[in-house]
Amino acid sequence: MTGKQFKISVVIPVYNVELYVAETIESVIRQDIGFEENVQIVLVNDGSPDGSGQIWEEYAKRYPENIQYVYQENAGVSSARNTGIAAASGELLCFIDSDDTVSANYLETLHTLYSPGV
């Protein structure tokens, strides 16, 4: 990872969601706020035994500046979120579950409402 400062870091703890995680990641990439300029995704593989890791690694290769992939032995969602917090570098932090999607204006709205100095 570079030392780039992002507006928002999105932490996604992942366990056994091979069928859904690509859609979740794509919903973050398609954000109106401008993904490559403003958004960091921290994917935390919580020891998932399915093929989720291969999907995450491919996204991390496509967006090496924006997507950080972290592996940990299975310790539960709270531990995975804490691992993600430690790896995040955004001005703001949010969590998305790995089987959810967000609307295209989600992060722009979050930034407008909660940005420091606004």
Side-chain angles (χ1 to χ4, degrees):
M1 275 317 284
T2 65
K4 184 174 181 178
Q5 180 64 40
F6 296 95
K7 288 184 178 180
I8 301 175
S9 291
V10 179
V11 175
I12 306 174
V14 187
Y15 185 83
N16 266 354
V17 288
E18 180 178 6
L19 299 177
Y20 314 107
V21 72
E23 188 176 358
T24 300
I25 296 167
E26 286 293 333
S27 78
V28 176
I29 290 171
R30 292 189 301 263
Q31 290 297 298
D32 293 344
I33 197 170
F35 174 72
E36 291 191 55
E37 300 83 21
N38 299 307
V39 180
Q40 174 193 39
I41 297 176
V42 180
L43 296 165
V44 182
N45 180 343
D46 190 32
S48 187
D50 67 358
S52 298
Q54 293 172 326
I55 295 167
W56 309 322
E57 288 172 351
E58 286 302 313
Y59 277 99
K61 286 178 189 173
R62 279 182 33 204
Y63 299 99
E65 295 285 316
N66 298 80
I67 298 179
Q68 185 169 0
Y69 173 79
V70 181
Y71 178 85
Q72 69 177 30
E73 291 297 322
N74 182 257
V77 69
S78 295
S79 176
R81 286 185 177 132
N82 287 335
T83 297
I85 290 169
S89 64
E91 186 178 302
L92 296 175
L93 179 67
C94 76
F95 300 98
I96 298 175
D97 289 338
S98 54
D99 58 353
D100 289 341
T101 59
V102 292
S103 62
N105 68 340
Y106 179 75
L107 295 179
E108 180 72 50
T109 301
L110 178 71
H111 188 263
T112 299
L113 291 173
Y114 298 105
S115 182
V118 174

